[in-house]
């Protein structure tokens, strides 16, 4: 395995990426600027029109930056997704009956899971609106997540940072499963 100094010298971990939160804000600022690039080629995937980037163009640029930052940015994005989906689902699922007048609350487990599926569809649609915010947050948090993954690797005696990332991913899936299933079962009992 590469030493810490060797990892820092690799082109992937240049000064901009190791700069912590300030570097994340610099990346974010450069992605939100509306500078127009020359449109000499047929690069229509950027979504630029008249010097301003479309939503799809901004999302594509954020995805490219996340890929450049590597595994820590991916894990940060996954953790932010988990937090968003769990929080939004809890709010929407538990307030659904109140908004609908209390008549739409089925008593059985099957009915509650049906209601949860409907709410989850709405939460998914809402997630598309917050995608840029979550991607920006992942760019900002990538250096801290890198430190956390290294800490887990050292603390648990793992062979690679990827193994620590798998643990974090499993924890995200497990917490989402507990929140979604637990909410449905609790609402059935109430």
């Amino acid at each position: 395995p590469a030493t810490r100094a060797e990892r820092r010298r690799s082109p992937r971990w240049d000064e901009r990426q190791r700069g912590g939160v300030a570097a994340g804000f610099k990346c974010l600022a450069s992605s939100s600027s509306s500078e127009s690039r020359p449109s000499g080629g047929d690069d229509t995937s950027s979504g630029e029109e008249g010097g301003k980037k479309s939503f799809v163009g901004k999302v594509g640029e954020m995805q490219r930056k996340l890929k450049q930052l590597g595994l820590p940015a991916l894990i940060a994005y996954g953790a932010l997704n988990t937090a968003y989906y769990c929080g939004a689902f809890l709010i929407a699922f538990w307030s659904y009956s109140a908004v609908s007048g209390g008549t739409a609350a089925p008593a059985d487990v099957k009915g509650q899971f049906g209601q949860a599926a409907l709410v989850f569809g709405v939460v998914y649609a809402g997630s598309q609106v917050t995608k840029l915010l979550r991607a920006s947050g992942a760019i900002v948090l990538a250096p801290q997540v890198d430190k956390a993954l290294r800490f887990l690797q050292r603390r648990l005696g793992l062979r690679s940072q990827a193994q620590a990332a798998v643990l974090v991913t499993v924890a995200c899936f497990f917490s989402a499963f507990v929140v979604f299933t637990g909410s449905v079962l609790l609402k059935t009992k109430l």
Side-chain angles (χ1 to χ4, degrees):
T3 65
R4 189 174 185 178
E6 289 171 341
R7 280 193 300 265
R8 282 192 176 159
R9 276 187 248 131
S10 78
R12 193 174 123 224
W13 292 104
D14 64 0
E15 280 301 316
R16 188 184 86 234
Q17 293 167 340
R18 282 185 293 155
V21 176
F25 283 120
K26 288 178 186 173
C27 289
L28 181 57
S30 68
S31 70
S32 62
S33 67
S34 59
E35 299 170 283
S36 61
R37 292 185 302 192
S39 56
D42 51 336
D43 183 14
T44 57
S45 64
S46 69
E48 292 184 37
E49 294 176 11
K52 286 194 169 188
K53 293 182 182 175
S54 70
F55 179 78
V56 174
K58 288 180 183 178
V59 169
E61 186 175 333
M62 288 292 197
Q63 287 175 339
R64 283 189 294 281
K65 285 186 181 192
L66 286 171
K67 284 180 185 176
Q68 287 174 350
L69 290 171
L71 185 62
L74 179 67
I75 296 300
Y77 186 73
L80 289 173
N81 273 344
T82 302
Y84 168 79
Y85 276 100
C86 288
F89 179 81
L90 284 173
I91 292 168
F93 185 67
W94 285 95
S95 61
Y96 181 75
S97 324
V99 171
S100 64
T103 58
D108 62 338
V109 174
K110 184 178 178 182
Q112 286 295 334
F113 273 109
Q115 185 179 11
L118 175 71
V119 168
F120 194 76
V122 172
V123 169
Y124 173 76
S127 77
Q128 301 310 303
V129 175
T130 62
K131 188 177 280 191
L132 276 178
L133 181 63
R134 288 178 284 130
S136 300
I139 290 170
V140 169
L141 292 175
Q144 285 71 31
V145 170
D146 181 50
K147 290 176 187 175
L149 290 174
R150 286 187 199 162
F151 173 78
L152 278 176
Q153 180 183 356
R154 260 191 337 270
R155 182 79 174 184
L156 300 177
L158 302 173
R159 293 181 191 161
S160 70
Q161 200 175 23
Q163 289 178 334
V166 168
L167 286 177
V168 172
T169 302
V170 168
C172 286
F173 279 116
F174 180 73
S175 63
F177 176 77
V178 168
V179 166
F180 300 147
T181 306
S183 291
V184 169
L185 295 177
L186 278 174
K187 202 167 184 184
T188 301
K189 299 278 183 190
L190 299 177

